[in-house]
Amino acid sequence: MDKVVLTAAGLYVIVLLRAGGTFAVGWLAGAGARRGRLAERISTPRFRRAERAIQRWGAPVVAASFLTIGFQTAANFLAGSMHMPLSRYLPALFVGGAGWALAYATVGIGALELLARLFAEQTVMGVGGVTVLLLGICGVMVYRRRKAASTNSNTAADES
């Protein structure tokens, strides 16, 4: 069997379990919130309207969330906590998960094969490329942290 098909099938199982599990945790959290201290706050008409909108129209958002990085978990958890009906959630999970698995299987395998070929044929260039990539990532992280720290210090100075 083709390695892309096997990889996509494996990733599909993983995404179904992970996203479905996130939905289930969200469902349980939503049920707990409805019985706990938040029950009063989440029983307002405005919250109920939002909940009905998510239950009705959230499936396309869940399906599209699989094409993003970072929003996918939030969308599945929110769908669960807002008790999106399974009849709407499961098709979105199956379609979105399939898109995610195919994208990662094709692009991911292609990138890994490119890296393997680069390291096999020109090891020095491969190590240099990975080093430059890691230094770039570290540079972006340092820049963002410094920017956030200066923003926080400016905010604190404005408040004093």
Side-chain angles (χ1 to χ4, degrees):
M1 199 177 245
D2 186 35
K3 62 184 164 186
V4 173
V5 173
L6 278 174
T7 303
L11 288 172
Y12 190 56
V13 169
I14 290 169
V15 78
L16 291 179
L17 293 173
R18 182 175 54 89
T22 304
F23 177 84
V25 169
W27 188 282
L28 293 172
R34 285 171 174 74
R35 286 188 226 118
R37 293 182 206 169
L38 295 175
E40 235 177 77
R41 289 186 183 178
I42 63 176
S43 62
T44 63
R46 187 176 189 181
F47 185 86
R48 293 287 185 206
R49 276 194 310 275
E51 187 175 44
R52 281 192 304 274
I54 288 171
Q55 289 172 350
R56 184 168 184 192
W57 303 106
V61 173
V62 169
S65 75
F66 287 96
L67 302 176
T68 67
I69 297 174
F71 179 64
Q72 180 182 137
T73 302
N76 284 284
F77 184 85
L78 184 62
S81 66
M82 294 291 184
H83 288 189
M84 179 185 291
L86 286 176
S87 62
R88 293 184 189 270
Y89 176 74
L90 289 177
L93 172 63
F94 294 142
V95 170
W100 179 88
L102 287 173
Y104 273 80
T106 55
V107 174
I109 284 182
L112 288 175
E113 285 178 346
L114 178 67
L115 280 174
R117 195 170 346 123
L118 180 63
F119 275 99
E121 294 172 5
Q122 302 203 358
T123 306
V124 173
M125 243 179 111
V127 170
V130 169
T131 303
V132 168
L133 178 66
L134 290 175
L135 287 173
I137 291 170
C138 290
V140 168
M141 289 173 60
V142 167
Y143 171 77
R144 286 184 176 179
R145 285 186 180 174
R146 286 185 178 170
K147 187 176 179 182
S150 75
T151 302
N152 289 341
S153 66
N154 289 342
T155 305
D158 290 344
E159 290 177 1
S160 352

